[in-house]
Amino acid sequence: MTGRDTPPPGRYDPHRGVPPRAADAPGPDADGTRPAPPLAPLSLRERLALNRTGTFDWDLDRATLELDPCALDVFDLRPDEFDGRPATLAARVPPEEGYRLDAAVSQAVQDGAPSYGAYFRIHCRDGTPRWTQTQGRILRDDDGRPYRIAGVVREAGTEMADSVLLRSLQENRQRQTAMVQQTTAALSRALSVADVTRVLTGTGGARRFGADALILGLVDNDRFEVIAITGLPGAAPEEMMASRLDDTLPLSDAALSRRAAFLSSRGELMARYPRLRPYLDRVPSGSAVFLPLVAQDRAIAALGLFNAEPKQHSAEDRNLALALAGVVAQSLQRAMLFDQEREFATGLQATMLPRRVPDIAGGEVTVRYHAASTGRDIGGDWYDVIPLPQGRTGLVVGDVQGHDTHAAAVMGQLRIALRAYATEGHSPETVLVRASRFLAELETERFATCTYVQADLESGALHVARAGHLGPLIWDAAGHTDWHPVRGGLPLGLATAFGQDHFPETQLFLEPDSALLLCTDGLVEQPGQDITAGIDALAAAVRDGPAELEALADLLSDQLWARSGSDDDMALVLLHRAPTAGTTAITPRFRLHVHQADPSGASEVRAMLRRTMDQWRAGPVAYDIEVAATELVTNALTHTDSGALVTVELLPPAAGGSRRRVRLEVEDRSSRWPRRRTPGETATSGRGLMMVEALSDSWGAEPRGSGKALWCEFALPGEG
């Protein structure tokens, strides 16, 4: 220690290095070799001093601390600077280190531990920090009360420096590994070039590369086009967004030369690329890195990384940047191939769909088709609008099994075949039967679902047949919507394979100023969700959506399909029947045709009545209406040779009244007039009209041009 007297000869001075040999060392042996002289004895304190270690004795009762000379040297204190009080060490121990050291001692005392140890830093006389280690033994009396701590204190700068360096290197390697893993994970989910740019420019995109700003550009023959920028101030100059592939701009130069450039400051960047000088205020003032993105021995793009502060790039920084460039290059190449394949596939499918939608008399029709927003493959969804003889119109939506170009090719063949069968004037059932047989004969091992509607807008008659597909949604100007029940058969192809190519036809009616919707399941079905939720959401969107057909089609595409990022195709057809001239009020109604040989027709009428009466809030009267309809339909099917046309209307209150009315009509083609009978107690029939008379407020029969109609009316409750 400074000021200490020089030790006498033969004594070891810990501040002077290796101790001297003993004075009486023996001379050489007879053979001329000199034996090793004996070492001078070292005291314990001298041995500790050799290792820069001192001792202390802390009297807890008297709050005094004794430090030996080497311990004082560890704390860089002269003897006259230490008065034996622990608080005096505050001149060397920073407060935060003192708190941590006190906490370690207090915890050991409270836990009854026999000893403690801790690393802490001190500030030397010249202000430099020094790592120090202390270890102490806690002495306790017979009652377990601590009264004394004896221990050692030593310099630990070398080992802590090594430890900090190793920890820093380890943390740096972990940081680099995390950056590569995070970037790889984020880009692994990117399918298209647009997906890649979203990853790079999204939240935390530039930070994944340890940068504050980022630029990405693609090589296009002899041109270079910037496609993504994030973190740079202001808008990029137009001439920098697309330029010739040359060495005057850093990204273009990196792609052309296929060499990475690591620049430490903006000044270095401007010196190398003078063309950037007019845009000095738009370039960060710190370091910059420009990386060529090479895939399959071809530069496909270049990536620029900018930092706000100047920086000299270490070997680790360069290796990390090159590794990340390789990850981005592979992802970008995969995305470019995906976009090329998808463009080819969607182009193929577009050629399979109708080029235009024909104009129709008495209404308007609009269509929408969207390929899947995710995934590489395309589906087999299609639509068609077919002009038919006698002013009718055929509407088709369908979906061929699979999501590939084969599905699109099969779809194109099936669409053309179905269109040909429909144009020949066949009924919907016959059209689907022939289409099913055609698909089976192709031997593609594919099936298809389909709904075909033959619409006569002059009369409003709709003849519907479906093959494993969704039926139509119909709604009126008042906003009443309904998925009408339509019987169907198996999907096309499968129906023929199983010998069940029968597609029963259902007749519906489209009232003036009402509309119809046909769609594929891509509009209503999402993975992991019940399809009924999508069907209900579609009905609600139609009910609350705009009346104009084009606007409604856009809304459905944006709200139900594009917003959810569907991984399925979607085809949509909307048909609107023009309002009748002179119509001033809309009368809510529905019509349903029941075939004479259809045993389930009455149940379909009841199901439709339940839904309609619920919308019209008929309350307990709904059951009476359902019973009356069942009796009238059964009479028509049993006592005539024709089917039954069921019409239900919601009428305003009669003159002088305040209650709305429901009018039920069942029309047949028989001229035989109904006769109310009075059956006996044992009779098994003849009570139908009696029940209608008992349940309704009024009833009667009217002649029609080709037959007759039985009607009855019911006053709804709650109106007066």
Side-chain angles (χ1 to χ4, degrees), residues 447-469:
F447 64 83
T449 63
C450 177
T451 294
Y452 174 54
V453 177
Q454 189 181 88
D456 183 353
L457 293 187
E458 183 177 354
S459 65
L462 304 174
H463 296 270
V464 186
R466 66 184 185 89
H469 203 82

Side-chain angles (χ1 to χ4, degrees), residues 575-608:
L575 171 69
H576 177 252
R577 185 184 179 192
T580 303
T583 300
T584 58
I586 300 298
T587 300
R589 72 176 68 180
F590 81 81
R591 288 182 179 178
L592 180 65
H593 181 268
V594 181
H595 194 274
Q596 201 275 336
D598 182 10
S600 62
S603 64
E604 292 183 8
V605 171
R606 288 193 295 270
M608 184 175 294

Side-chain angles (χ1 to χ4, degrees), residues 145-194:
R145 183 183 63 84
Y147 66 92
R148 186 177 183 180
I149 299 177
V152 296
V153 60
R154 68 184 186 89
E155 290 186 18
T158 302
E159 64 188 74
M160 289 304 294
D162 293 341
S163 175
V164 170
L165 177 60
L166 291 175
R167 186 165 59 249
S168 176
L169 293 175
Q170 183 179 12
E171 291 175 352
N172 192 41
R173 284 194 294 267
Q174 291 175 346
R175 179 183 61 84
Q176 294 177 354
T177 302
M179 291 173 65
V180 174
Q181 290 176 341
Q182 291 172 3
T183 304
T184 302
L187 290 173
S188 66
R189 297 183 292 271
L191 295 178
S192 64
V193 173

